Coordinates of all heavy atoms in Angstrom, one line a residue:
V216 N -107.7 -40.4 -71.4 CA -107.3 -41.4 -70.5 C -106.4 -42.4 -71.2 O -106.7 -42.8 -72.3 CB -108.6 -42.1 -69.9 CG1 -108.2 -43.2 -69.0 CG2 -109.4 -41.1 -69.2
P217 N -105.3 -42.9 -70.6 CA -104.4 -43.8 -71.2 C -105.1 -45.1 -71.7 O -106.2 -45.5 -71.2 CB -103.4 -44.1 -70.1 CG -103.5 -42.9 -69.2 CD -104.9 -42.5 -69.3
M218 N -104.4 -45.9 -72.5 CA -105.0 -47.1 -73.1 C -105.4 -48.1 -72.0 O -106.3 -48.9 -72.3 CB -104.0 -47.7 -74.1 CG -103.9 -46.8 -75.3 SD -103.0 -47.7 -76.7 CE -104.0 -49.1 -76.9
R219 N -104.8 -48.1 -70.9 CA -105.1 -49.1 -69.8 C -106.1 -48.5 -68.8 O -106.4 -49.2 -67.9 CB -103.9 -49.6 -69.1 CG -103.0 -50.4 -70.0 CD -101.8 -51.0 -69.2 NE -101.0 -51.7 -70.1 CZ -100.7 -53.0 -70.0 NH1 -101.3 -53.7 -69.0 NH2 -99.9 -53.6 -70.8
G220 N -106.5 -47.3 -69.1 CA -107.4 -46.6 -68.1 C -106.6 -46.0 -67.0 O -105.4 -45.8 -67.0
S221 N -107.4 -45.4 -66.0 CA -106.8 -44.7 -64.9 C -107.6 -45.1 -63.6 O -108.6 -45.7 -63.7 CB -106.8 -43.2 -65.1 OG -106.1 -42.9 -66.2
V222 N -107.1 -44.6 -62.5 CA -107.8 -44.7 -61.2 C -108.0 -43.2 -60.7 O -107.0 -42.5 -60.6 CB -107.0 -45.5 -60.2 CG1 -107.7 -45.5 -58.9 CG2 -106.8 -47.0 -60.7
L223 N -109.3 -43.0 -60.4 CA -109.6 -41.7 -59.9 C -109.9 -41.8 -58.4 O -110.6 -42.7 -58.0 CB -110.8 -41.1 -60.6 CG -111.5 -39.9 -60.0 CD1 -110.6 -38.6 -60.2 CD2 -112.9 -39.7 -60.6
T224 N -109.3 -40.9 -57.6 CA -109.6 -40.9 -56.2 C -109.9 -39.4 -55.7 O -109.1 -38.5 -56.3 CB -108.4 -41.4 -55.4 OG1 -108.1 -42.7 -55.8 CG2 -108.6 -41.4 -53.9
F225 N -110.9 -39.2 -55.0 CA -111.1 -37.9 -54.3 C -111.8 -38.1 -53.0 O -112.3 -39.1 -52.6 CB -112.0 -37.1 -55.2 CG -113.4 -37.5 -55.5 CD1 -114.4 -37.2 -54.7 CD2 -113.7 -38.3 -56.6 CE1 -115.7 -37.7 -54.9 CE2 -114.9 -38.8 -56.9 CZ -116.0 -38.5 -56.0
W226 N -111.6 -37.0 -52.2 CA -112.2 -37.0 -50.9 C -113.4 -36.0 -51.0 O -113.4 -35.0 -51.7 CB -111.3 -36.4 -49.8 CG -110.2 -37.5 -49.4 CD1 -109.1 -37.7 -50.1 CD2 -110.3 -38.4 -48.3 NE1 -108.4 -38.7 -49.4 CE2 -109.1 -39.1 -48.3 CE3 -111.2 -38.6 -47.3 CZ2 -108.9 -40.1 -47.4 CZ3 -110.9 -39.5 -46.3 CH2 -109.8 -40.3 -46.4
Y227 N -114.5 -36.3 -50.2 CA -115.7 -35.4 -50.2 C -116.3 -35.4 -48.9 O -116.2 -36.3 -48.0 CB -116.7 -36.0 -51.2 CG -117.2 -37.3 -50.9 CD1 -118.4 -37.4 -50.3 CD2 -116.6 -38.4 -51.3 CE1 -119.0 -38.7 -50.0 CE2 -117.0 -39.7 -51.0 CZ -118.2 -39.8 -50.3 OH -118.7 -41.0 -50.0
Q228 N -117.0 -34.3 -48.6 CA -117.9 -34.1 -47.4 C -119.1 -33.4 -47.9 O -119.0 -32.5 -48.7 CB -117.1 -33.4 -46.4 CG -117.9 -33.2 -45.1 CD -117.1 -32.4 -44.0 OE1 -116.1 -31.7 -44.3 NE2 -117.6 -32.5 -42.8
T229 N -120.3 -33.7 -47.3 CA -121.5 -33.1 -47.6 C -122.2 -32.6 -46.3 O -122.0 -33.2 -45.2 CB -122.4 -33.9 -48.4 OG1 -122.9 -35.0 -47.6 CG2 -121.8 -34.4 -49.7
N230 N -122.9 -31.6 -46.4 CA -123.7 -31.2 -45.4 C -125.0 -30.8 -46.1 O -125.2 -29.6 -46.5 CB -123.2 -30.0 -44.6 CG -124.0 -29.5 -43.5 OD1 -125.1 -30.1 -43.2 ND2 -123.5 -28.6 -42.7
L231 N -125.9 -31.7 -46.3 CA -127.1 -31.5 -47.1 C -128.4 -31.6 -46.2 O -128.5 -32.3 -45.3 CB -127.2 -32.5 -48.2 CG -125.9 -32.7 -49.1 CD1 -126.1 -33.8 -50.0 CD2 -125.7 -31.4 -49.8
S232 N -129.4 -30.8 -46.7 CA -130.7 -30.9 -46.1 C -131.5 -32.0 -46.8 O -131.9 -31.8 -48.0 CB -131.4 -29.6 -46.2 OG -130.7 -28.6 -45.6
M233 N -131.7 -33.1 -46.2 CA -132.4 -34.3 -46.8 C -133.9 -34.1 -46.6 O -134.3 -33.6 -45.6 CB -131.9 -35.6 -46.2 CG -130.5 -35.9 -46.6 SD -130.2 -36.0 -48.3 CE -131.2 -37.4 -48.8
P234 N -134.8 -34.5 -47.6 CA -134.4 -35.1 -48.9 C -134.3 -33.9 -49.9 O -134.3 -34.3 -51.1 CB -135.6 -36.0 -49.1 CG -136.8 -35.2 -48.6 CD -136.2 -34.6 -47.3
A235 N -134.1 -32.7 -49.5 CA -134.1 -31.6 -50.5 C -132.9 -31.5 -51.3 O -133.0 -30.9 -52.4 CB -134.3 -30.3 -49.7
A236 N -131.8 -32.1 -51.0 CA -130.5 -31.9 -51.7 C -129.8 -33.3 -51.7 O -130.0 -34.2 -51.0 CB -129.6 -30.9 -51.0
S237 N -129.0 -33.4 -52.8 CA -128.2 -34.7 -53.0 C -126.9 -34.3 -53.8 O -126.8 -33.3 -54.4 CB -129.0 -35.7 -53.8 OG -129.2 -35.3 -55.1
F238 N -125.9 -35.2 -53.6 CA -124.6 -35.1 -54.3 C -124.4 -36.4 -55.1 O -124.6 -37.5 -54.5 CB -123.5 -34.8 -53.3 CG -122.2 -35.0 -53.8 CD1 -121.7 -34.3 -54.9 CD2 -121.3 -36.0 -53.4 CE1 -120.4 -34.4 -55.4 CE2 -120.1 -36.2 -53.9 CZ -119.6 -35.5 -54.9
T239 N -124.1 -36.3 -56.3 CA -123.9 -37.5 -57.2 C -122.6 -37.3 -58.0 O -122.3 -36.2 -58.5 CB -125.1 -37.6 -58.2 OG1 -126.3 -37.6 -57.5 CG2 -125.0 -38.9 -59.0
F240 N -121.9 -38.4 -58.1 CA -120.7 -38.4 -59.0 C -121.0 -39.3 -60.1 O -121.4 -40.5 -59.9 CB -119.4 -38.9 -58.2 CG -118.3 -39.1 -59.1 CD1 -117.6 -38.0 -59.7 CD2 -117.8 -40.3 -59.4 CE1 -116.5 -38.2 -60.6 CE2 -116.8 -40.5 -60.3 CZ -116.1 -39.4 -60.9
K241 N -120.8 -38.9 -61.4 CA -121.1 -39.7 -62.5 C -119.9 -39.9 -63.4 O -119.0 -38.9 -63.6 CB -122.2 -39.0 -63.3 CG -123.5 -38.8 -62.6 CD -124.5 -38.1 -63.5 CE -125.8 -37.9 -62.8 NZ -126.8 -37.2 -63.7
V242 N -119.7 -41.0 -64.1 CA -118.8 -41.3 -65.1 C -119.5 -41.6 -66.4 O -120.3 -42.6 -66.4 CB -117.7 -42.4 -64.7 CG1 -116.8 -42.7 -65.9 CG2 -117.0 -42.0 -63.5
N243 N -119.3 -40.8 -67.4 CA -120.0 -41.1 -68.7 C -121.5 -41.2 -68.4 O -122.2 -42.0 -69.1 CB -119.5 -42.3 -69.4 CG -118.2 -42.1 -69.9 OD1 -117.7 -40.9 -70.2 ND2 -117.3 -43.1 -70.1
G244 N -122.1 -40.3 -67.6 CA -123.6 -40.4 -67.4 C -124.0 -41.4 -66.4 O -125.2 -41.3 -66.0
N245 N -123.2 -42.3 -65.9 CA -123.6 -43.4 -65.0 C -123.3 -42.9 -63.6 O -122.1 -42.6 -63.2 CB -122.9 -44.6 -65.3 CG -123.2 -45.2 -66.6 OD1 -124.4 -45.2 -67.1 ND2 -122.2 -45.5 -67.4
S246 N -124.4 -42.9 -62.7 CA -124.2 -42.6 -61.3 C -123.4 -43.7 -60.6 O -123.9 -44.8 -60.5 CB -125.5 -42.4 -60.6 OG -126.2 -41.3 -61.2
L247 N -122.2 -43.3 -60.0 CA -121.4 -44.3 -59.2 C -121.4 -43.9 -57.8 O -121.0 -44.8 -57.0 CB -120.0 -44.2 -59.8 CG -119.8 -44.6 -61.2 CD1 -118.4 -44.6 -61.7 CD2 -120.5 -46.0 -61.5
L248 N -121.9 -42.7 -57.4 CA -121.9 -42.4 -56.0 C -123.0 -41.4 -55.8 O -123.2 -40.4 -56.6 CB -120.6 -41.6 -55.6 CG -120.5 -41.1 -54.2 CD1 -120.4 -42.2 -53.2 CD2 -119.2 -40.2 -54.1
Q249 N -123.9 -41.7 -54.9 CA -125.0 -40.8 -54.6 C -125.1 -40.7 -53.0 O -125.3 -41.7 -52.4 CB -126.4 -41.2 -55.2 CG -127.4 -40.2 -55.1 CD -128.6 -40.4 -56.1 OE1 -128.6 -41.4 -56.8 NE2 -129.5 -39.5 -56.0
I250 N -125.0 -39.5 -52.6 CA -124.9 -39.3 -51.2 C -126.0 -38.3 -50.7 O -126.2 -37.3 -51.4 CB -123.5 -38.7 -50.8 CG1 -122.4 -39.7 -51.2 CG2 -123.4 -38.3 -49.4 CD1 -122.4 -41.0 -50.4
G251 N -126.5 -38.5 -49.5 CA -127.4 -37.6 -48.9 C -126.6 -36.8 -47.9 O -125.7 -36.1 -48.2
K252 N -126.9 -37.1 -46.6 CA -126.2 -36.3 -45.5 C -125.0 -37.2 -45.1 O -125.0 -38.3 -44.8 CB -127.1 -36.2 -44.4 CG -126.6 -35.3 -43.3 CD -127.7 -35.0 -42.3 CE -127.2 -34.2 -41.1 NZ -126.7 -32.8 -41.5
L253 N -123.8 -36.5 -45.1 CA -122.6 -37.1 -44.6 C -121.8 -35.9 -43.9 O -121.4 -35.0 -44.6 CB -121.8 -37.7 -45.7 CG -120.4 -38.2 -45.5 CD1 -120.5 -39.5 -44.6 CD2 -119.6 -38.5 -46.7
D254 N -121.5 -36.1 -42.6 CA -120.9 -35.0 -42.0 C -119.4 -35.2 -41.7 O -118.7 -34.3 -41.2 CB -121.5 -34.7 -40.5 CG -122.9 -34.2 -40.7 OD1 -123.2 -33.5 -41.6 OD2 -123.8 -34.6 -39.8
E255 N -118.9 -36.3 -42.2 CA -117.4 -36.6 -42.2 C -116.8 -36.7 -43.5 O -117.5 -37.0 -44.5 CB -117.2 -37.9 -41.4 CG -117.7 -37.9 -40.0 CD -117.5 -39.3 -39.3 OE1 -116.9 -40.1 -39.9 OE2 -117.9 -39.3 -38.1
W256 N -115.5 -36.5 -43.6 CA -114.8 -36.7 -44.9 C -114.8 -38.2 -45.2 O -114.6 -39.0 -44.4 CB -113.4 -36.2 -44.8 CG -113.3 -34.6 -44.9 CD1 -113.2 -33.8 -43.8 CD2 -113.4 -33.9 -46.1 NE1 -113.2 -32.5 -44.3 CE2 -113.3 -32.5 -45.6 CE3 -113.4 -34.1 -47.4 CZ2 -113.3 -31.5 -46.5 CZ3 -113.4 -33.1 -48.3 CH2 -113.4 -31.8 -47.9
A257 N -115.0 -38.5 -46.5 CA -114.9 -39.9 -47.0 C -114.2 -39.8 -48.3 O -114.1 -38.9 -49.0 CB -116.3 -40.5 -47.2
Q258 N -113.5 -41.0 -48.6 CA -112.8 -41.1 -49.8 C -113.5 -42.0 -50.8 O -114.1 -43.0 -50.4 CB -111.4 -41.7 -49.5 CG -110.5 -41.8 -50.7 CD -109.1 -42.5 -50.4 OE1 -109.1 -43.4 -49.7 NE2 -108.1 -41.8 -50.9
F259 N -113.4 -41.7 -52.0 CA -114.1 -42.4 -53.1 C -113.0 -42.7 -54.2 O -112.3 -41.9 -54.6 CB -115.2 -41.7 -53.8 CG -115.9 -42.5 -54.8 CD1 -116.8 -43.5 -54.4 CD2 -115.8 -42.2 -56.2 CE1 -117.5 -44.2 -55.4 CE2 -116.5 -42.9 -57.1 CZ -117.3 -43.9 -56.8
T260 N -112.9 -44.0 -54.6 CA -112.0 -44.4 -55.7 C -112.7 -45.2 -56.7 O -113.6 -46.1 -56.4 CB -110.9 -45.3 -55.0 OG1 -110.2 -44.5 -54.1 CG2 -109.9 -45.7 -56.1
V261 N -112.4 -45.0 -58.0 CA -113.1 -45.7 -59.1 C -112.1 -45.8 -60.2 O -111.2 -45.0 -60.5 CB -114.4 -44.9 -59.5 CG1 -114.0 -43.5 -60.1 CG2 -115.2 -45.7 -60.5
S262 N -112.3 -46.9 -60.9 CA -111.5 -47.2 -62.2 C -112.1 -46.4 -63.3 O -113.4 -46.4 -63.5 CB -111.4 -48.7 -62.6 OG -110.7 -49.4 -61.6
I263 N -111.3 -45.7 -64.1 CA -111.8 -45.0 -65.2 C -111.4 -45.7 -66.5 O -110.2 -46.0 -66.6 CB -111.1 -43.5 -65.2 CG1 -111.5 -42.8 -63.9 CG2 -111.6 -42.7 -66.4 CD1 -112.9 -42.5 -63.7
P264 N -112.3 -46.0 -67.4 CA -112.0 -46.7 -68.6 C -111.1 -45.8 -69.5 O -111.0 -44.6 -69.4 CB -113.3 -47.0 -69.2 CG -114.2 -45.9 -68.8 CD -113.7 -45.5 -67.4
P265 N -110.4 -46.5 -70.5 CA -109.6 -45.7 -71.4 C -110.5 -44.9 -72.4 O -111.6 -45.3 -72.5 CB -108.8 -46.8 -72.2 CG -109.5 -48.1 -71.9 CD -110.3 -47.9 -70.6
G266 N -109.9 -43.9 -73.1 CA -110.6 -43.2 -74.0 C -111.1 -41.8 -73.4 O -110.7 -41.5 -72.3
N267 N -112.1 -41.2 -74.2 CA -112.7 -40.0 -73.7 C -113.7 -40.3 -72.6 O -114.5 -41.1 -72.8 CB -113.3 -39.2 -74.9 CG -112.3 -38.6 -75.8 OD1 -111.2 -38.3 -75.4 ND2 -112.7 -38.5 -77.1
V268 N -113.6 -39.6 -71.5 CA -114.5 -39.9 -70.4 C -115.1 -38.6 -69.8 O -114.3 -37.6 -69.7 CB -113.7 -40.6 -69.2 CG1 -114.6 -40.8 -68.0 CG2 -113.2 -42.0 -69.8
K269 N -116.4 -38.5 -69.5 CA -116.9 -37.4 -68.9 C -117.1 -37.6 -67.4 O -117.9 -38.5 -67.0 CB -118.3 -37.1 -69.6 CG -118.9 -35.8 -69.0 CD -120.3 -35.6 -69.7 CE -121.0 -34.3 -69.2 NZ -122.2 -34.1 -69.9
L270 N -116.5 -36.9 -66.6 CA -116.6 -36.9 -65.1 C -117.5 -35.8 -64.7 O -117.3 -34.6 -65.0 CB -115.3 -36.7 -64.5 CG -114.2 -37.8 -64.9 CD1 -112.9 -37.5 -64.2 CD2 -114.7 -39.2 -64.6
E271 N -118.5 -36.1 -63.8 CA -119.5 -35.1 -63.3 C -119.6 -35.1 -61.8 O -119.8 -36.2 -61.4 CB -120.9 -35.2 -64.0 CG -120.9 -35.1 -65.5 CD -122.3 -35.3 -66.0 OE1 -123.1 -34.4 -65.9 OE2 -122.5 -36.5 -66.4
W272 N -119.5 -34.1 -61.1 CA -119.8 -33.9 -59.7 C -121.1 -33.0 -59.7 O -121.0 -31.9 -60.1 CB -118.7 -33.2 -59.0 CG -117.5 -34.1 -58.7 CD1 -117.2 -34.9 -57.6 CD2 -116.4 -34.3 -59.6 NE1 -116.0 -35.5 -57.8 CE2 -115.5 -35.2 -59.0 CE3 -116.1 -33.9 -60.9 CZ2 -114.3 -35.6 -59.6 CZ3 -114.9 -34.2 -61.5 CH2 -114.0 -35.1 -60.8
V273 N -122.2 -33.6 -59.2 CA -123.4 -32.9 -59.4 C -124.1 -32.6 -58.0 O -124.3 -33.6 -57.2 CB -124.4 -33.7 -60.2 CG1 -125.8 -33.0 -60.4 CG2 -123.9 -34.0 -61.6
Y274 N -124.4 -31.4 -57.7 CA -125.1 -31.0 -56.5 C -126.5 -30.6 -57.0 O -126.6 -29.7 -57.8 CB -124.4 -29.9 -55.8 CG -125.2 -29.3 -54.7 CD1 -125.5 -30.0 -53.5 CD2 -125.9 -28.0 -54.8 CE1 -126.2 -29.4 -52.4 CE2 -126.6 -27.5 -53.8 CZ -126.8 -28.2 -52.6 OH -127.6 -27.6 -51.7
A275 N -127.5 -31.2 -56.4 CA -128.9 -30.9 -56.8 C -129.7 -30.5 -55.5 O -129.6 -31.2 -54.5 CB -129.5 -32.1 -57.4
Q276 N -130.5 -29.5 -55.7 CA -131.3 -29.0 -54.6 C -132.7 -28.8 -55.1 O -132.9 -28.0 -56.0 CB -130.7 -27.7 -54.1 CG -131.3 -27.2 -52.8 CD -130.5 -26.1 -52.1 OE1 -129.5 -25.8 -52.5 NE2 -131.1 -25.6 -51.0
N277 N -133.7 -29.5 -54.5 CA -135.1 -29.4 -54.9 C -135.8 -28.3 -54.3 O -136.9 -27.9 -54.8 CB -135.8 -30.8 -54.6 CG -135.1 -31.9 -55.2 OD1 -134.6 -31.8 -56.3 ND2 -135.1 -33.1 -54.7
Q278 N -135.5 -27.8 -53.2 CA -136.1 -26.7 -52.6 C -135.1 -25.8 -51.8 O -134.0 -26.3 -51.5 CB -137.2 -27.2 -51.6 CG -136.7 -28.1 -50.6 CD -137.8 -28.8 -49.8 OE1 -139.0 -28.8 -50.2 NE2 -137.5 -29.4 -48.7
P279 N -135.5 -24.6 -51.5 CA -134.5 -23.7 -50.7 C -134.1 -24.3 -49.4 O -134.9 -25.1 -48.7 CB -135.4 -22.4 -50.4 CG -136.4 -22.5 -51.5 CD -136.8 -23.9 -51.8
G280 N -132.9 -24.1 -49.1 CA -132.3 -24.6 -47.8 C -130.8 -24.6 -47.9 O -130.2 -24.3 -48.9
D281 N -130.2 -24.9 -46.8 CA -128.7 -24.9 -46.7 C -128.2 -26.3 -47.2 O -128.9 -27.4 -47.1 CB -128.3 -24.8 -45.3 CG -128.4 -23.4 -44.8 OD1 -128.5 -22.5 -45.6 OD2 -128.5 -23.3 -43.5
G282 N -127.2 -26.3 -48.0 CA -126.5 -27.4 -48.4 C -125.2 -27.1 -48.9 O -125.0 -26.1 -49.6
R283 N -124.2 -28.0 -48.7 CA -122.9 -27.8 -49.1 C -122.2 -29.1 -49.5 O -122.5 -30.1 -48.8 CB -122.0 -27.1 -48.0 CG -122.5 -25.7 -47.7 CD -121.8 -25.2 -46.5 NE -122.2 -23.9 -46.1 CZ -123.2 -23.5 -45.5 NH1 -124.0 -24.5 -45.1 NH2 -123.6 -22.3 -45.2
V284 N -121.3 -29.1 -50.4 CA -120.5 -30.2 -50.8 C -119.1 -29.7 -51.0 O -118.8 -28.7 -51.6 CB -120.9 -30.9 -52.1 CG1 -120.0 -32.0 -52.5 CG2 -122.4 -31.3 -52.0
W285 N -118.1 -30.4 -50.3 CA -116.7 -30.1 -50.5 C -116.0 -31.3 -51.2 O -116.3 -32.4 -50.8 CB -116.0 -29.9 -49.1 CG -116.5 -28.7 -48.4 CD1 -116.1 -27.4 -48.4 CD2 -117.6 -28.7 -47.5 NE1 -116.8 -26.6 -47.6 CE2 -117.8 -27.4 -47.0 CE3 -118.5 -29.6 -47.0 CZ2 -118.7 -26.9 -46.1 CZ3 -119.5 -29.3 -46.1 CH2 -119.6 -27.9 -45.6
I286 N -115.2 -31.0 -52.2 CA -114.4 -32.0 -52.8 C -112.9 -31.6 -52.7 O -112.5 -30.4 -53.0 CB -114.8 -32.1 -54.3 CG1 -116.2 -32.5 -54.4 CG2 -113.9 -33.1 -55.0 CD1 -116.8 -32.5 -55.7
D287 N -112.0 -32.6 -52.4 CA -110.6 -32.2 -52.2 C -109.8 -33.3 -52.7 O -110.2 -34.5 -52.8 CB -110.4 -32.0 -50.7 CG -109.2 -31.1 -50.4 OD1 -108.5 -30.7 -51.4 OD2 -108.9 -30.9 -49.2
D288 N -108.5 -33.1 -52.9 CA -107.5 -34.1 -53.2 C -107.9 -35.0 -54.4 O -108.0 -36.2 -54.2 CB -107.1 -34.9 -52.0 CG -106.4 -34.1 -50.9 OD1 -105.7 -33.1 -51.3 OD2 -106.5 -34.5 -49.7
V289 N -108.2 -34.4 -55.5 CA -108.6 -35.2 -56.7 C -107.4 -35.6 -57.4 O -106.5 -34.9 -57.8 CB -109.5 -34.3 -57.6 CG1 -109.9 -35.2 -58.9 CG2 -110.7 -33.8 -56.9
Y290 N -107.2 -37.0 -57.5 CA -106.1 -37.5 -58.3 C -106.5 -38.5 -59.3 O -107.4 -39.3 -59.1 CB -105.2 -38.4 -57.3 CG -104.5 -37.5 -56.2 CD1 -105.1 -37.5 -54.9 CD2 -103.4 -36.8 -56.5 CE1 -104.4 -36.7 -54.0 CE2 -102.8 -36.0 -55.5 CZ -103.4 -36.0 -54.2 OH -102.7 -35.3 -53.2
I291 N -105.9 -38.4 -60.5 CA -106.1 -39.3 -61.6 C -104.8 -39.9 -61.9 O -103.9 -39.3 -62.4 CB -106.7 -38.7 -62.8 CG1 -108.1 -38.0 -62.5 CG2 -106.8 -39.6 -64.0 CD1 -108.7 -37.2 -63.6
V292 N -104.6 -41.2 -61.6 CA -103.4 -41.9 -61.8 C -103.5 -42.9 -62.9 O -104.4 -43.8 -62.9 CB -103.0 -42.7 -60.4 CG1 -101.7 -43.4 -60.6 CG2 -102.9 -41.7 -59.3
P293 N -102.7 -42.8 -64.0 CA -102.8 -43.7 -65.1 C -102.3 -45.1 -64.7 O -101.4 -45.3 -63.9 CB -101.9 -43.1 -66.2 CG -101.0 -42.1 -65.5 CD -101.7 -41.8 -64.2
R294 N -102.9 -46.1 -65.4 CA -102.4 -47.5 -65.2 C -101.4 -47.8 -66.3 O -101.7 -47.5 -67.5 CB -103.6 -48.4 -65.3 CG -104.5 -48.4 -64.2 CD -105.6 -49.4 -64.3 NE -106.5 -49.3 -63.2 CZ -107.6 -50.0 -63.2 NH1 -108.0 -50.9 -64.1 NH2 -108.4 -49.8 -62.2
Y295 N -100.3 -48.4 -65.9 CA -99.3 -48.7 -67.0 C -99.1 -50.2 -67.1 O -99.3 -50.9 -66.3 CB -97.9 -48.0 -66.6 CG -98.0 -46.5 -66.7 CD1 -98.1 -45.8 -65.5 CD2 -98.0 -45.8 -67.9 CE1 -98.1 -44.4 -65.5 CE2 -98.1 -44.4 -67.9 CZ -98.1 -43.7 -66.8 OH -98.2 -42.4 -66.8

């Protein structure tokens, strides 16, 4: 990530069986977005610090059932 950091934007949609499933987005292990059931597309934007950064999109399911997560239009734009 550039010295001034970046901005990350992505769209997501979930169709999860609550409370059996969840979707979490993490930056360097910190949960910044945790979603249960969402049937419409939504946009998420976050500032990314400079340096090495670990980005995680996590789908967790505690018991059998239907669940889906869609992620689209992922952009990382450096700050200058």
Side-chain angles (χ1 to χ4, degrees):
V216 177
M218 290 189 61
R219 293 185 183 244
S221 297
V222 175
L223 168 71
T224 300
F225 63 90
W226 286 85
Y227 64 95
Q228 181 181 16
T229 66
N230 183 355
L231 304 175
S232 301
M233 292 301 296
S237 66
F238 166 62
T239 306
F240 173 70
K241 300 179 182 182
V242 176
N243 290 333
N245 298 312
S246 296
L247 300 182
L248 175 69
Q249 189 162 2
I250 298 295
K252 187 169 178 65
L253 176 72
D254 292 327
E255 298 178 3
W256 283 97
Q258 186 180 42
F259 183 74
T260 301
V261 64
S262 292
I263 303 296
N267 292 329
V268 177
K269 182 178 180 182
L270 305 174
E271 298 176 82
W272 287 263
V273 181
Y274 169 73
Q276 191 168 352
N277 299 329
Q278 58 190 12
D281 289 335
R283 292 173 181 82
V284 176
W285 295 269
I286 299 173
D287 201 3
D288 295 331
V289 178
Y290 294 100
I291 300 175
V292 180
R294 292 184 183 172
Y295 294 105

